[in-house]
Amino acid sequence: MRTLRAAWLCAGLAVACFACVAVARPGTAREEDVKALLVLRLAKYVTWPAADVPRGALRVCGVGAGMAAALARAAAGDPAVVVRPVAGDTGDLLACDVAVFGDGADIDVHYALVRLAGQPVLTVGGTDAFARDGGMI
């Protein structure tokens, strides 16, 4: 059962990656824009704990000005997604369903991930140490 679920997750990720590449126009997409679009598509397939299923709009927080702007562009016109920039206070991340850490994050990512441990917040980042520090994707 676990193997089948993992296979479906891999297939879903592959489809999402190809969809993001197809949407991006050659020469115009920045890496953060593609990541933001991928995260928003992936979030639709997350199985949330029963008590923590997002009610209303999905609250996606962008950590770092570039990532917050990219998420806002990717979610433009989608009433099911609310994008909030987060800078400085890691406590703001507790109000998010998804926290996406960009390359220019101006907070201590390790401390933020320790603070989010055990919380129903999907954490996404791209540094080498992100998963070791407790990040999910």
Side-chain angles (χ1 to χ4, degrees), residues 60-121:
V60 180
C61 295
V63 182
M67 182 52 70
L71 286 164
R73 285 189 296 273
D78 186 349
V81 177
V82 173
V83 176
R84 295 181 48 209
V86 173
D89 187 4
T90 56
D92 292 343
L93 293 170
L94 294 171
C96 307
D97 298 311
V98 181
V100 186
F101 294 81
D103 293 335
D106 54 352
I107 65 172
D108 183 347
V109 176
H110 174 75
Y111 176 73
L113 291 173
V114 167
R115 195 150 182 211
L116 290 172
Q119 300 298 318
V121 179

Side-chain angles (χ1 to χ4, degrees), residues 38-54:
L38 177 61
V39 167
L40 293 180
R41 296 211 179 186
L42 177 66
K44 294 177 182 179
Y45 299 98
V46 171
T47 302
W48 302 96
D52 300 309
V53 173

Side-chain angles (χ1 to χ4, degrees), residues 9-70:
L9 179 60
C10 289
L13 285 172
V15 168
C17 287
F18 289 123
C20 289
V21 171
V23 169
R25 293 186 192 121
T28 61
R30 293 185 298 227
E31 183 177 346
E32 284 185 329
D33 289 323
V34 175
K35 285 180 183 179
L37 188 58
L38 177 61
V39 167
L40 293 180
R41 296 211 179 186
L42 177 66
K44 294 177 182 179
Y45 299 98
V46 171
T47 302
W48 302 96
D52 300 309
V53 173
R55 308 241 188 286
L58 184 70
R59 299 165 300 178
V60 180
C61 295
V63 182
M67 182 52 70

